[in-house]
Amino acid sequence: MIKQRWETRPLEIWDRAKELRAKWQKSIDNRQHLLAQGNTVESDWSPGFEKYLKIVEDNPVGAFMASKSHSFARRARLASEVRGWGRELCGYVNNCWGAQFLGRDMDGGPFPYRDMCVPFPDVCDQHLKRGQQCMDLSPIPRWGGDMPIYPGERDPKRDEEMIEHRVYCNLKIIADIERIFGIEFDDERFVENIKLREKLSAYGLRISQLMTQVPTPLSAKDLYSFYTLGDLTKLNPEEINDFWKSFVDEVQWRADNRIAAVGGERYRYMEAHPPAWYYLKYYRYLESYGAVCIGSQYSHIMSGTLEVKEDGSLAHRDVTPPADKPIRTREDAVRQWITEARGNRFKDDEYCRKWAITDFARGFKADGAIMALWRCGVGCTLTRKEQALRLSEMGLRVLHCEGSQPGDRTDMDEHGFLDRIDAWMESQGLEKLDDR
Amino acid sequence: MVKEFGAWPETVWASGDRFGGTPVCGTDVGTTSVQAVIMSDGALVAYANLRCGYDFGEAAETALTRALKAAGLSRGDIKTCRATGFGRRRAAFADATAEEITCHGLGARYVFGPDVRTVADLGGQRTKAIRLYDWDRVRDFKISDKCAAGMGRGIERIANLLEIPISEIGERSLSAEKDPEPASTTCCNFMYPETMGLLRQGFREDEYSENDVLAAAMFTVAWRALGTIGKLSPLDIGEISLDGALGFTGGLAKNPGVTKRIERELGLSALPAKYDPRLTGAIGAALLAERDINPR
Amino acid sequence: MYTAGIDIGLENIKIVILKDASVAASLTAPSGGKERGKRAEALYDEALLRAGVSRNGIHRTLATGAGKFDADFADGNIVEEIADAAAARYFLKDASAAVDIGADQTRVVSIGADGAVTETVRNQKCMAGLGLALEYMAERLDFSIEEISLIPPERAEGVTVNDGCPVFAELDALELLNIGVPRDAVAGAVTRMTVVRLNSVLRDKDFPDRNRTVLTGGVAKNRAVTDALKALSGIDFVIPESPEYGTALGAALKAAD
């Protein structure tokens, strides 16, 4: 029997979240839309084409496959491998596009072949390769959504030029799609979406701020069910706005009443990456030690670009433009949207973004960290070891686990991971609270 | 360290029949095992199969000696000899060498009959997949990467750690209660700790029996083999069309835990072998040796 | 007071019975598979016999190692790192690091001033099974483990095997034999590979102190490896006699807490 330190209760908003997700699924099942390979965040212009086009990301498809069907995911990856795509490619990518080669999706239905590709590169191996299998299959139109990045001190002139470049790229993509597919872009809808995104980012920030509290009202595991709902669900702006408002209200109420996500919370750990989607029960295992995950830079991605202030609180980074700037042309709209010169991805470093791993640890009051060393995909392990050393210097105990990739269940050595968790916890003097 | 469980039995055999023609010899010096066969007039007279130590030449020599003894022949009776396999150049007694793919192709037709079109050689270190025309030639082949090598050796290690005889390990894995995922799909050095790790109690509902543990390991080997076999015919791996029948050769051909899983994933049954399939390469070499003295 | 430590490793079971601060008995046997718990129990009874004490005479028994949960006859279990730290302090009063190199796993444990564990490192998967790899390589080269322990890396005379992956290393070794490289040169190359891998794991987090580090585990019996590792890392490891019992000893010490 776990001795509860804090009161807990389940979230009330679960069912609404599930409903929304189901609605989104259905909305792309109808084959009336053109399907695009891409990423909804980087292709935020897509609501402008929403009558005709849907972005279907490969990451969530791959992650979903990883968590729902090992054997189908495995077959998909093999189908990709025997056609020459390396095993070390991202598991998400190989899952999703492997299914393309199989010609069917996880439910047995026909594979939703894409009509175009707008992949975006990133400071990570797999993003550059995303969509290659898709592009390889047939000569569909493809564009490059650039995400320029540079290490070192910020250079305002360079930033300006990078923003120009990205604005140009996106305007061209929109114009090309109009021309090639003969569809009209709805600028009003686009602007509406930008404003919605800014609102959602504010809601997201609130959630992140509330999770810095001890005890945390939400755990990372909870957050996974919500953090993409802003992206994937461009159904009805009012509905989404409404949902997020309710969500924030509920989490605020929990925080005010010190309702914890994990009743035994006595240890807070952070992560660095998408988790092993096929083995989320390790969060439950850690709860038996009274340890709760307060998230990662990845899971807090809804909040936009953050920084930790002098007083330790989280806030939006100052580059976010004021929402009341007038938008008169499509170009204005794109500029409003592209606020960040350098990629706001979560790959490391004081230089790349002003939310370094140590700031994150400080902001969320982390006691420890799990730094996964993934062999491929999603940032690979770029800088993970360096980050671990910096967290170590801060006084956090860091656990490393290894696997292929969050989308690829094999080589995770799940029992070995539990073993390491035991060693990590017990060598910090923490025994299990109950016999799980 | 226990070693006897992973040590598969060495074999010697002789047909005992009278034979005509001129005896020739073929030897396949692999990374892990060596086979020497004596053939005469297209018939198999005798063979020996044993493990390689550090001296490939000596192992080949021993194999030949054992086969000769079983056949009641002496070195002088052998007209000519061909060597193939990883260590073929170390077989000092060979008159010529031949590369393994050709020998496996030729040997496969002998061992499996004329219907064979695809040969999957599942060895101690490497996997080779060979596609044949319906006459005597190799059409295509694929050899496994350096990465994902060592699967056969990996199984020997599992057998020793679990203390289960390697000859039983395959069959027992087919009696698994669970149908576990492969312990790895990348590497045999990841396979063994993850396999052994299944013995650790994870969550209560995750109890693995010994057969389940074996199943996870065998599945790993099978899956990696599919990675090579599948490259021959990159259609939907589930409905892979191998244009005819498949034969397994190499040490793991004797491991139903691996072969049956490959068959299951490919949705077919492999051809039965008329002779010990591990001899395929050596038989192919011997057939080439026969051609040396009887060119067609 | 008698206590007992049972280390069920991936390859071998090690048992140590302590009478206060002295080893009363120590035994080892192969672990095996699912039956390792039963085997550990039988070995435990044998050790008790050797120590001249009954089960009731043992104050407390703690299990550790990969198979710790299989020792249901033990009073409890602890993680290996805690046992390693206790053992290191036993062998060296002010030890600040414990390194254990076994058949499967390599661990580096940082020890604080009060003897508590402050940091832990376990090998990454690419380095799994160093002890096993050495044993299998010795067998392949027809050396006993004692013989291969006497062949220093210098014997390789410039010949190398891949030091990033043990699978590649084995293939390389076979290829060397194939081209006629003598087996002791190959053995030297394999030893060098092992030492290079070990040196890298030592640098994962806290680098162990030159003069205050204890080395245990079966591989610590291999002179060729330990001499070369000392030279390469610059750490003057303190290596106890019968180092394979280190973790079990540590568990027995913790059983007295």
Side-chain angles (χ1 to χ4, degrees):
Chain A
M1 181 63 196
I2 288 193
K3 180 167 167 288
Q4 299 282 16
R5 285 181 114 195
W6 317 98
E7 188 192 336
T8 64
R9 59 164 66 189
L11 282 164
E12 290 182 10
I13 206 159
W14 279 125
D15 289 335
R16 269 182 78 184
K18 281 186 199 151
E19 252 177 62
L20 277 175
R21 180 175 292 286
K23 255 190 177 167
W24 167 251
Q25 274 308 116
K26 277 180 86 179
S27 81
I28 57 167
D29 277 347
N30 98 50
R31 305 287 160 200
Q32 290 167 15
H33 289 104
L34 292 165
L35 299 178
Q37 180 278 334
N39 169 269
T40 47
V41 173
E42 303 317 317
S43 312
D44 246 354
W45 40 260
S46 68
F49 287 121
E50 74 179 355
K51 282 204 288 285
Y52 313 101
L53 185 151
K54 288 276 189 243
I55 306 267
V56 184
E57 275 206 64
D58 34 20
N59 253 17
V61 169
F64 193 62
M65 281 170 67
S67 67
K68 286 287 174 284
S69 175
H70 295 324
S71 66
F72 184 75
R74 184 172 23 91
R75 275 200 186 83
R77 286 194 302 275
L78 184 65
S80 185
E81 180 188 342
V82 300
R83 284 161 182 77
W85 299 96
R87 282 180 288 135
E88 79 283 7
L89 281 182
C90 172
Y92 296 148
V93 160
N94 274 338
N95 283 353
C96 178
W97 304 115
Q100 172 192 259
F101 295 128
L102 293 177
R104 57 184 186 273
D105 69 15
M106 204 162 57
D107 305 315
F111 184 84
Y113 290 98
R114 310 297 194 260
D115 301 296
M116 70 190 85
C117 273
V118 195
F120 69 102
D122 201 331
V123 142
C124 130
D125 74 330
Q126 66 98 354
H127 287 73
L128 277 167
K129 295 187 181 79
R130 256 209 232 172
Q132 276 192 344
Q133 286 120 321
C134 176
M135 290 189 268
D136 205 52
L137 190 71
S138 58
I140 52 179
R142 74 279 311 270
W143 292 266
D146 270 344
M147 285 273 276
I149 196 158
Y150 62 89
E153 293 294 336
R154 278 199 160 260
D155 176 349
K157 184 78 175 60
R158 196 169 178 179
D159 284 355
E160 214 180 281
E161 284 165 7
M162 282 164 62
I163 289 180
E164 279 308 304
H165 174 69
R166 289 186 64 197
V167 167
Y168 168 76
C169 280
N170 281 285
L171 285 173
K172 184 176 192 312
I173 289 170
I174 294 169
D176 282 351
I177 292 178
E178 281 190 310
R179 177 174 53 84
I180 293 169
F181 292 98
I183 54 180
E184 207 184 303
F185 189 71
D186 182 349
D187 287 278
E188 265 180 43
R189 182 73 187 86
F190 176 43
V191 172
E192 200 175 40
N193 187 62
I194 293 171
K195 295 198 180 294
L196 173 65
R197 177 162 294 291
E198 284 161 13
K199 277 218 187 101
L200 294 186
S201 163
Y203 289 136
L205 171 65
R206 195 73 202 107
I207 299 283
S208 297
Q209 286 168 334
L210 291 168
M211 285 176 71
T212 62
Q213 183 185 274
V214 177
T216 174
L218 265 189
S219 76
K221 192 165 190 295
D222 300 325
L223 202 58
Y224 294 134
S225 304
F226 300 101
Y227 79 120
T228 54
L229 283 183
D231 290 343
L232 299 184
T233 323
K234 292 179 169 55
L235 289 169
N236 177 336
E238 252 181 58
E239 191 174 11
I240 299 305
N241 189 49
D242 221 47
F243 170 83
W244 275 85
K245 189 170 185 314
S246 310
F247 182 35
V248 170
D249 285 345
E250 187 179 346
V251 179
Q252 179 73 59
W253 178 84
R254 290 169 68 95
D256 292 340
N257 289 280
R258 305 195 88 70
I259 312 275
V262 171
E265 178 180 324
R266 57 176 178 164
Y267 187 91
R268 298 160 66 92
Y269 63 96
M270 56 184 272
E271 292 181 317
H273 250 130
W277 294 113
Y278 39 80
Y279 199 56
L280 293 179
K281 52 188 186 179
Y282 77 91
Y283 290 111
R284 297 281 171 247
Y285 190 75
L286 274 154
E287 285 172 19
S288 74
Y289 282 100
V292 64
C293 181
I294 43 71
S296 62
Q297 290 161 312
Y298 172 76
S299 64
H300 288 274
I301 209 163
M302 269 308 297
S303 327
T305 318
L306 299 187
E307 66 177 359
V308 178
K309 294 230 168 287
E310 293 280 322
D311 62 1
S313 64
L314 292 181
H316 268 141
R317 220 169 120 199
D318 52 20
V319 293
T320 310
D324 56 359
K325 222 168 141 203
I327 297 176
R328 290 192 205 91
T329 62
R330 188 181 293 175
E331 188 173 323
D332 286 344
V334 173
R335 283 184 191 288
Q336 177 80 353
W337 162 42
I338 297 176
T339 58
E340 184 68 36
R342 283 191 289 199
N344 67 338
R345 304 300 280 179
F346 44 92
K347 252 68 73 185
D348 199 45
D349 215 37
E350 297 87 17
Y351 296 124
C352 277
R353 63 178 292 180
K354 204 170 151 198
W355 192 9
I357 200 87
T358 48
D359 280 356
F360 185 94
R362 206 162 41 92
F364 282 90
K365 307 186 187 66
D367 302 303
I370 297 182
M371 296 270 131
L373 302 175
W374 298 123
R375 218 172 336 280
C376 53
V378 201
C380 328
T381 62
L382 186 67
T383 73
R384 289 292 168 240
K385 291 290 227 148
E386 289 89 337
Q387 287 179 332
L389 286 173
R390 262 182 274 137
L391 289 172
S392 239
E393 281 158 26
M394 247 183 95
L396 271 70
R397 282 287 297 276
V398 179
L399 168 67
H400 286 303
C401 66
E402 280 179 274
S404 271
Q405 198 269 346
D408 178 355
R409 175 256 165 242
T410 60
D411 297 302
M412 175 61 189
D413 194 355
E414 288 149 11
H415 292 201
F417 183 32
L418 296 182
D419 225 29
R420 282 167 187 252
I421 287 174
D422 286 344
W424 182 48
M425 288 283 102
E426 290 184 32
S427 65
Q428 293 183 75
L430 296 164
E431 302 268 332
K432 283 200 182 117
L433 295 172
D434 81 345
D435 203 29
R436 201 163 291 202
Chain B
M1 176 192 80
V2 290
K3 296 175 282 189
E4 60 267 25
F5 293 95
W8 40 266
E10 301 180 340
T11 46
V12 178
W13 172 92
S15 73
D17 302 335
R18 294 177 133 267
F19 56 89
T22 322
V24 297
C25 160
T27 182
D28 181 359
V29 190
T31 57
T32 312
S33 69
V34 60
Q35 295 81 39
V37 310
I38 299 173
M39 295 184 75
S40 192
D41 212 15
L44 200 56
V45 173
Y47 68 77
N49 179 20
L50 51 111
R51 281 187 296 286
C52 289
Y54 67 90
D55 189 336
F56 290 105
E58 191 188 305
E61 194 69 53
T62 307
L64 177 61
T65 306
R66 286 187 192 175
L68 286 171
K69 186 155 175 237
L73 293 171
S74 69
R75 272 309 308 277
D77 297 323
I78 304 293
K79 183 74 188 228
T80 186
C81 188
R82 279 264 199 160
T84 186
F86 177 81
R88 60 187 173 278
R89 292 188 188 87
R90 308 298 294 174
F93 56 83
D95 298 293
T97 60
E99 60 76 31
E100 335 168 40
I101 303 297
T102 310
C103 289
H104 263 89
L106 270 181
R109 207 163 288 283
Y110 191 89
V111 170
F112 297 106
D115 286 342
V116 69
R117 290 291 176 276
T118 305
V119 183
D121 178 32
L122 312 173
Q125 289 291 347
R126 299 170 304 172
T127 303
K128 302 188 256 314
I130 305 162
R131 229 171 148 201
L132 304 169
Y133 289 111
D134 59 4
W135 61 98
D136 229 343
R137 290 292 162 80
V138 170
R139 182 172 163 184
D140 192 9
F141 71 93
K142 298 277 181 255
I143 304 186
S144 59
D145 320 318
K146 195 171 181 182
C147 192
M151 288 297 176
R153 280 285 281 159
I155 289 188
E156 290 179 5
R157 186 160 45 177
I158 299 270
N160 282 329
L161 286 172
L162 290 172
E163 295 190 8
I164 299 173
I166 198 166
S167 49
E168 289 175 26
I169 225 172
E171 201 63 59
R172 283 188 56 176
S173 76
L174 296 173
S175 310
E177 289 96 55
K178 292 191 196 310
D179 192 13
E181 283 295 289
S184 163
T185 56
T186 306
C187 172
C188 66
N189 207 52
F190 298 168
M191 166 178 82
Y192 93 82
E194 188 156 343
T195 300
M196 296 302 289
L198 294 174
L199 291 174
R200 176 206 193 276
Q201 293 162 39
F203 288 90
R204 284 271 149 66
E205 68 269 21
D206 278 349
E207 277 273 341
Y208 279 76
S209 71
E210 231 161 24
N211 291 348
D212 295 329
V213 170
L214 292 174
M218 297 306 118
F219 203 177
T220 305
V221 178
W223 200 256
R224 285 288 6 108
L226 282 170
T228 303
I229 297 168
K231 287 198 173 97
L232 276 186
S233 181
L235 303 171
D236 174 0
I237 198 82
E239 287 109 18
I240 198 163
S241 158
L242 293 179
D243 296 339
L246 168 71
F248 288 117
T249 67
L252 294 176
K254 305 285 274 181
N255 184 322
V258 173
T259 56
K260 290 241 179 296
R261 286 185 168 85
I262 296 174
E263 289 175 319
R264 183 183 71 183
E265 291 299 321
L266 295 176
L268 49 74
S269 295
L271 289 169
K274 292 187 243 176
Y275 308 93
D276 186 335
R278 295 173 295 183
L279 305 173
T280 306
I283 288 175
L287 289 170
L288 282 177
E290 282 206 321
R291 285 188 197 175
D292 286 343
I293 56 175
N294 286 321
R296 262 174 258 153
Chain C
M1 178 177 67
Y2 284 94
T3 56
I6 299 157
D7 178 7
I8 304 181
L10 206 77
E11 196 194 19
N12 295 306
I13 304 167
K14 284 78 67 181
I15 297 189
V16 169
I17 311 247
L18 278 181
K19 185 181 180 194
D20 299 317
S22 307
V23 176
S26 55
L27 280 182
T28 181
S31 301
K34 201 104 171 108
E35 298 297 289
R36 59 193 181 186
K38 291 210 183 73
R39 203 175 276 192
E41 191 167 11
L43 196 69
Y44 176 57
D45 285 331
E46 203 188 318
L48 289 172
L49 221 59
R50 295 254 184 118
V53 62
S54 70
R55 282 211 193 188
N56 289 331
I58 301 283
H59 166 72
R60 203 157 171 248
T61 307
L62 282 181
T64 187
K68 61 173 86 65
F69 300 113
D70 297 324
D72 44 20
F73 60 93
D75 296 308
N77 58 69
I78 55 164
V79 294
E80 295 82 296
E81 283 83 349
I82 293 179
D84 288 341
R89 278 288 164 103
Y90 177 86
F91 293 119
L92 184 66
K93 231 166 29 116
D94 62 344
S96 63
V99 179
D100 186 281
I101 310 169
D104 169 52
Q105 200 172 80
T106 300
R107 295 183 292 274
V108 181
V109 180
S110 306
I111 308 167
D114 59 352
V117 172
T118 57
E119 187 57 278
T120 63
V121 170
R122 287 193 180 189
N123 60 277
Q124 287 179 45
K125 279 200 266 187
C126 288
M127 237 184 80
L130 279 184
L132 287 172
L134 280 170
E135 285 181 311
Y136 278 100
M137 188 49 63
E139 190 207 358
R140 187 61 192 256
L141 298 174
D142 199 21
F143 288 124
S144 69
I145 200 73
E146 289 74 30
E147 285 169 333
I148 210 174
S149 306
L150 298 172
I151 303 176
E154 290 71 31
R155 196 80 62 82
E157 288 177 357
V159 149
T160 59
V161 296
N162 182 284
D163 58 28
C165 167
V167 179
F168 288 22
E170 185 171 3
L171 279 172
D172 284 350
L174 293 175
E175 190 54 58
L176 290 174
L177 293 170
N178 202 16
I179 59 172
V181 172
R183 60 185 176 130
D184 55 351
V186 176
V190 169
T191 296
R192 185 195 154 272
M193 178 269 291
T194 307
V195 169
V196 167
R197 302 315 319 278
L198 289 170
N199 188 46
S200 84
V201 84
L202 291 174
R203 281 150 212 290
D204 208 55
K205 288 185 185 162
D206 304 332
F207 187 66
D209 185 287
R210 184 194 148 70
N211 295 312
R212 292 164 63 199
T213 302
V214 174
L215 178 64
T216 59
V219 178
K221 292 191 290 186
N222 183 321
R223 261 318 272 280
V225 168
T226 56
D227 283 351
L229 186 61
K230 282 183 185 177
L232 189 60
S233 66
I235 299 170
D236 193 16
F237 295 100
V238 168
I239 307 173
E241 255 184 67
S242 308
E244 68 268 36
Y245 289 102
T247 312
L249 177 78
L253 287 165
K254 293 308 281 185
D257 278 359

